[in-house]
């Protein structure tokens, strides 16, 4: 097992964020990673690194660190060896079955001169290579890095990589690399102020402010502070999403402008009233739509300038309860690390299990490589617009929004996002006629007329499906505001099933803590026949393989093997035999109970010798009632992320969203669709 000791070259370089970013980058390569924070300046149960490693990176066996006061007692009483034994024991308790151990070093503290020496002792005791985290903001960070490289070498350890965090725009990686004496740069993390955006509740806590109106205080983020010291005409241009307005309560003009902006759909971070003032009741009634909506309103002592200055001194560290921001930070850091450099010399684990971070990473990488054009019929819907912007910026897919350009631009403005040049927007009323003739050809057996076709094409899902049918796009994603039937029906009419498929089904990718599983069919077919169940098994195995999951298919039932009887289990038994006969290379077994499919000890008792029992990765349920109930129970009770449903069996990829889908759900579904499109072209 390889161990990395991650050390900061100076204070406030983002040691925790980078350590967890490195952890995720290694997880994305399919490695099982252990994490240890040996020493904390906080109480062990409130150390953010440990809490984030457990809750966000899903490293459940991360141990509690030793408190700094105990460590200081060890050092001052001459018991350093005993301390190091405890730290080694702590680390070893977390590493069972792990490929790599990431050790977050001790944050610098001038009042404790023993920290540098102790850090070196810990690295030696754990036989860990050193990774330095340096500031990329100025030349001082580079000079300090070179000094520490020399110190580490003198101590008999090796610096295997340097990560420069919060790098300035003019950071010259090639020039810096020449100064490091052959030590590779593992990543240059650009300075992104958006990742430092606190929530309005964090500002309230920092100021000790009174919360007058709570609104969406826990989710809105502060991207800019607007000090209303000048005329309202100077303030209005800065009333953009994420703006926190600071004003005395007697500035009725500013308060009204703030309320108007909020009422017009601009999600401001909030309003802070200074001088311990109030909003006039008359103004509050006039702006009731804003004040009774999501706009948070705070009140604090002191003047506006003093309040603004205090907000500017808000610590950059991510609060323990802000998991959303920390997850975004970790993902952004992992994205900017050089995975090839980090894994050079590592023997990558060979496993049939696909971990959730590795699945998400490969999903995005494969989608980028596919470079597919995906149409989004719900082009005026806010979540869809956000997802399309993300996919365009990250190169995940070439997205096409169907909608009125003015409406799309207006929604983007209200969200505070910029539409990138590569994002296509097509106005449905301007292109619909182009698809009348091909639609008549596809539906000629139904006697469709031109007028009926043009009327049907007013539905953007039908329009997007026609674009797919004539090969102008590679896939379609819909469902944020449409039902499953609205999405699937046009596909069945115009796209039709793939050759050899008798059924359209669905599968979910279930991101369990240790691996990704495929569940099918959980969304489409109420009661498939044995023949259809066999088709679903083959479709699901192909889907698993396309996404890097080794398919071992369990045909789920309420009994295992020959132990039970009844109409339901007999259907599964026949489906299993049909699938084995038609696709002899498919690793498949059934009927099988869920515990026999997943737990090796149970499998040894109930299905000895089965190539699937105890290690199944694809689960085919006998009917929709069982499948949908199981996936929702696992998702909600075990707090598991599910990606899907992904539709299977169509000639071209069409995928449905949940109407409660988050932006990330839409992004991943677009990526899934792009990869499906690529795999279909190679069949």
């Amino acid at each position: 097992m390889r161990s990395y000791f991650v050390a900061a070259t100076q204070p406030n370089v983002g040691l925790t964020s980078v350590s967890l970013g490195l952890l995720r980058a290694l997880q994305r390569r399919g490695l099982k990673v252990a994490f240890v924070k040996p020493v904390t300046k906080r109480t062990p149960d409130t150390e953010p690194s440990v809490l984030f490693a457990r809750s966000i990176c899903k490293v459940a066996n991360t141990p509690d660190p030793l408190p700094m006061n105990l460590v200081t007692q060890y050092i001052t009483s001459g018991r350093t060896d005993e301390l190091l034994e405890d730290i080694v024991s702590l680390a070893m308790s977390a590493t069972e079955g792990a490929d790599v151990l990431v050790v977050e070093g001790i944050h610098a503290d001038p009042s404790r001169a023993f920290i540098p020496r102790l850090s070196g002792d810990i690295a030696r005791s754990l036989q860990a290579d050193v990774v330095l985290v340096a500031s990329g903001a100025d030349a001082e960070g580079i000079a300090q890095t070179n000094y520490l490289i020399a110190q580490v070498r003198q101590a008999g350890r090796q610096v295997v990589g340097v990560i420069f965090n919060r790098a300035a725009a003019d950071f010259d990686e090639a020039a810096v690399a020449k100064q490091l004496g052959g030590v590779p740069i593992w990543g240059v993390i650009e300075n992104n102020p958006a990742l430092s955006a606190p929530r309005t509740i964090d500002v309230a806590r920092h100021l000790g402010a009174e919360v007058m109106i709570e609104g969406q205080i826990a989710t809105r983020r502060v991207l800019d502070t607007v000090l209303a010291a000048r005329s309202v005409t100077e303030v209005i241009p800065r009333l953009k999403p994420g703006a926190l307005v600071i004003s005395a309560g007697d500035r009725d003009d500013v308060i009204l402008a703030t309320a108007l902006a909020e009422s017009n759909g601009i999600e401001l971070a909030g309003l802070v009233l200074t001088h311990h003032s109030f909003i006039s009741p008359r103004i509050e009634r006039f702006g009731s739509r804003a004040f009774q909506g999501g706009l948070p309103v705070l009140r604090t002592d002191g003047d506006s300038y003093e309040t603004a200055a205090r907000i500017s001194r808000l610590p950059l560290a991510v609060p323990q309860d802000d998991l959303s921001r920390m997850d975004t930070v970790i993902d952004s850091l992992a994205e900017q690390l050089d995975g090839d450099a980090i894994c050079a010399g590592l023997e990558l684990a060979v496993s049939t299990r696909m971990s959730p971070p590795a699945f998400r990473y490969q999903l995005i990488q494969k989608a980028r490589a596919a470079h597919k054009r995906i149409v989004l019929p719900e082009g005026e819907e806010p979540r869809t617009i956000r997802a399309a912007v993300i996919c365009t910026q990250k190169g995940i897919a070439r997205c096409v929004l169907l909608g009125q350009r003015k409406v799309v631009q207006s929604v983007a403005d209200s969200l505070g996002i910029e539409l990138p040049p590569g994002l296509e927007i097509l106005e449905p009323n301007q292109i619909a006629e182009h698809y009348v003739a091909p639609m008549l050809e596809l539906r000629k057996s139904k006697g469709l007329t031109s007028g009926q076709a043009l009327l049907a094409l007013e539905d953007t899902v039908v329009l997007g499906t026609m674009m797919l049918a004539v090969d102008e796009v590679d896939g379609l994603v819909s469902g944020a505001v449409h039902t499953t039937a609205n999405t699937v029906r046009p596909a069945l009419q115009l796209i039709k099933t793939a050759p050899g498929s008798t059924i359209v089904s669905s599968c979910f990718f279930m991101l369990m803590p240790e691996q990704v599983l495929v569940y099918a069919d959980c969304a489409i077919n109420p009661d498939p026949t044995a023949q259809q169940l066999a088709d679903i098994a083959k479709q699901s195995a192909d889907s698993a393989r396309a996404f890097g999951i080794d398919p071992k298919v369990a045909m789920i039932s309420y009994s295992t093997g020959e132990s039970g009887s009844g109409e339901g289990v007999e259907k599964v038994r026949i489906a299993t035999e049909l699938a084995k006969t038609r696709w002899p290379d498919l690793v498949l077994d059934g009927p099988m109970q869920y515990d026999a499919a997943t737990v090796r000890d149970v499998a040894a008792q109930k299905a000895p010798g089965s190539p699937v029992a105890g290690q199944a990765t694809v689960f085919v349920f006998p009917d929709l009632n069982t499948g949908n109930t199981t996936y929702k129970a696992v998702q909600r009770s075990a707090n598991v992320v599910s990606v899907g449903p992904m539709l299977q069996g169509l000639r071209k990829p069409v995928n449905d969203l949940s109407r409660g889908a988050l932006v990330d759900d839409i992004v991943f579904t677009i990526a899934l669709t792009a990869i499906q499109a690529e795999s279909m072209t190679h069949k």
Side-chain angles (χ1 to χ4, degrees):
M1 183 188 68
R2 192 81 171 267
S3 299
Y4 293 128
F5 185 87
V6 187
T9 61
Q10 58 197 97
N12 302 316
V13 292
L15 179 62
T16 293
S17 300
V18 174
S19 297
L20 294 173
L22 175 60
L23 188 159
R24 178 160 289 178
L26 289 162
Q27 287 180 324
R28 285 178 167 185
R29 292 303 178 106
L31 295 162
K32 184 172 181 182
V33 188
F35 180 81
V36 172
K37 168 79 173 176
V39 180
T40 181
K41 295 178 184 177
R42 300 171 179 254
T43 58
D45 59 345
T46 62
E47 169 53 49
S49 301
V50 172
L51 296 175
F52 292 144
R54 290 171 181 164
S55 60
I56 297 176
C57 298
K58 307 300 182 186
V59 185
N61 60 337
T62 301
D64 287 337
L66 301 176
M68 180 61 81
N69 58 359
L70 176 63
V71 170
T72 303
Q73 290 175 22
Y74 271 113
I75 298 292
T76 55
S77 60
R79 296 157 59 205
T80 301
D81 288 345
E82 189 177 338
L83 169 63
L84 292 173
E85 287 176 15
D86 287 351
I87 289 174
V88 170
S89 175
L90 194 74
M92 291 305 102
S93 71
T95 57
E96 183 179 353
D99 304 303
V100 185
L101 170 65
V102 173
V103 184
E104 182 185 325
I106 308 171
H107 290 266
D109 184 348
S111 67
R112 292 183 172 90
F114 62 78
I115 287 179
R117 184 185 181 104
L118 176 60
S119 296
D121 289 341
I122 293 172
R124 273 195 304 275
S125 299
L126 295 173
Q127 293 294 295
D129 293 320
V130 176
V131 179
L132 295 178
V133 181
S135 170
D138 49 45
E140 181 183 345
I142 300 166
Q144 183 67 11
T145 302
N146 276 319
Y147 170 75
L148 280 175
I149 289 172
Q151 293 291 103
V152 170
R153 285 172 175 166
Q154 285 180 9
R157 301 310 303 161
Q158 179 185 8
V159 177
V160 293
V162 179
I163 298 169
F164 288 97
N165 195 23
R166 301 178 188 139
D170 60 352
F171 187 91
D172 188 338
E173 184 174 349
V176 172
K178 292 179 181 178
Q179 301 177 47
L180 297 181
V183 176
I185 295 177
W186 277 13
V188 177
I189 314 301
E190 64 182 22
N191 186 34
N192 183 355
L195 296 179
S196 302
R199 300 163 301 178
T200 309
I201 194 172
D202 301 323
V203 173
R205 291 168 179 169
H206 178 68
L207 295 176
E210 177 188 348
V211 180
M212 298 180 66
I213 299 175
E214 185 172 319
Q216 295 171 341
I217 193 171
T219 55
R220 295 208 179 181
R221 295 195 178 274
V222 181
L223 300 174
D224 185 25
T225 52
V226 178
L227 180 59
R230 303 178 67 183
S231 70
V232 72
T233 55
E234 299 293 330
V235 173
I236 288 173
R238 296 185 62 190
L239 296 179
K240 297 178 179 179
L244 182 68
V245 181
I246 303 170
S247 173
D250 59 2
R251 288 294 305 273
D252 291 347
D253 56 342
V254 171
I255 295 171
L256 279 173
T258 301
L260 182 61
E262 177 72 25
S263 299
N264 284 339
I266 299 174
E267 285 199 358
L268 302 169
L271 173 64
V272 181
L273 300 177
T274 57
H275 298 285
H276 206 65
S277 54
F278 293 86
I279 301 173
S280 156
R282 189 173 294 176
I283 297 296
E284 189 170 350
R285 284 195 301 273
F286 191 77
S288 60
R289 182 178 173 187
F291 298 126
Q292 292 173 12
L295 180 70
V297 179
L298 313 177
R299 187 171 63 150
T300 186
D301 291 327
D303 61 32
S304 298
Y305 289 101
E306 176 192 343
T307 301
R310 288 172 64 195
I311 291 173
S312 71
R313 294 192 292 271
L314 186 72
L316 290 174
V318 181
Q320 296 171 24
D321 61 346
D322 195 353
L323 299 183
S324 171
R325 177 179 159 199
M326 194 63 194
D327 193 28
T328 303
V329 169
I330 293 171
D331 253 350
S332 177
L333 285 165
E335 186 81 16
Q336 296 176 76
L337 294 178
D338 185 341
D340 291 336
I342 292 168
C343 291
L346 273 178
E347 291 185 12
L348 298 184
V350 178
S351 173
T352 59
R353 294 189 166 198
M354 169 74 75
S355 70
F359 175 79
R360 287 191 291 260
Y361 172 74
Q362 290 193 22
L363 191 69
I364 299 303
Q365 295 303 108
K366 287 183 176 182
R368 282 174 175 161
H371 197 57
K372 296 299 182 182
R373 190 169 184 242
I374 307 298
V375 65
L376 308 172
E378 299 160 326
E380 297 174 359
E381 197 277 324
R383 290 165 295 164
T384 302
I385 293 171
R386 280 190 185 274
V389 168
I390 291 169
C391 287
T392 303
Q393 290 173 337
K394 293 189 173 183
I396 294 170
R398 293 174 289 142
C399 291
V400 181
L401 294 173
L402 296 184
Q404 298 300 314
R405 182 173 291 276
K406 286 183 179 179
V407 176
V408 175
Q409 186 63 61
S410 175
V411 173
D413 290 343
S414 70
L415 295 172
I417 58 178
E418 186 175 337
L419 299 176
L423 177 58
E424 287 186 74
I425 302 170
L426 297 179
E427 301 201 8
N429 59 328
Q430 294 182 6
I431 65 172
E433 278 195 42
H434 174 68
Y435 300 99
V436 170
M439 188 172 182
L440 292 175
E441 179 62 26
L442 287 170
R443 301 287 288 164
K444 61 185 177 184
S445 63
K446 301 298 181 181
L448 191 71
T449 67
S450 296
Q452 290 170 332
L454 202 54
L455 186 63
L457 287 165
E458 290 179 4
D459 181 339
T460 54
V461 178
V462 175
L463 180 59
T465 306
M466 275 305 306
M467 295 175 68
L468 181 59
V470 299
D471 294 326
E472 290 186 2
V473 293
D474 302 297
L476 179 147
V477 173
S478 181
V481 293
H482 287 86
T483 65
T484 297
N486 290 147
T487 299
V488 175
R489 189 184 300 111
L492 291 173
Q493 293 173 344
L494 302 169
I495 302 298
K496 307 198 185 318
T497 56
S501 289
T502 62
I503 191 171
V504 173
S505 67
S506 72
C507 73
F508 283 88
F509 295 91
M510 306 296 291
L511 276 56
M512 312 297 276
E514 295 292 328
Q515 68 180 124
V516 179
L517 304 177
V518 177
Y519 282 9
D521 173 10
C522 304
I524 301 293
N525 298 286
D527 189 16
T529 65
Q531 174 65 61
Q532 290 172 331
L533 213 52
D535 277 357
I536 292 169
K538 179 63 166 68
Q539 291 171 354
S540 303
D542 289 345
S543 293
R545 191 176 291 105
F547 291 91
I549 300 167
D550 184 19
K552 295 185 177 180
V553 185
M555 306 294 284
I556 299 299
S557 179
Y558 57 79
S559 74
T560 299
E562 302 294 329
S563 65
S565 61
E567 185 179 337
V569 72
E570 189 61 27
K571 178 177 78 170
V572 176
R573 185 173 290 119
I574 294 169
T576 302
E577 293 308 315
L578 283 171
K580 287 181 176 178
T581 301
R582 291 180 63 189
W583 304 288
D585 293 336
L586 192 60
V587 181
L588 174 144
D589 203 1
M592 191 175 294
Q593 291 164 288
Y594 194 95
D595 57 352
T598 55
V599 182
R600 288 186 182 272
D601 290 346
V602 176
Q605 293 178 359
K606 293 187 174 183
S610 169
V612 172
Q615 52 186 325
T617 56
V618 178
F619 297 75
V620 178
F621 297 101
D623 51 53
L624 187 59
N625 187 43
T626 307
N628 191 269
T629 301
T630 303
Y631 117 75
K632 285 186 181 287
V634 171
Q635 180 190 43
R636 300 301 180 186
S637 300
N639 195 27
V640 165
V641 174
S642 63
V643 178
M646 185 180 85
L647 300 187
Q648 309 174 127
L650 285 167
R651 196 165 51 85
K652 296 177 182 179
V654 172
N655 281 311
D656 180 41
L657 298 164
S658 161
R659 274 171 282 174
L662 303 175
V663 173
D664 280 352
D665 297 330
I666 301 174
V667 170
F668 281 124
T669 303
I670 291 170
L672 281 173
T673 307
I675 298 167
Q676 263 188 302
E678 179 69 8
S679 65
M680 287 178 178
T681 61
H682 293 295
K683 279 190 176 180

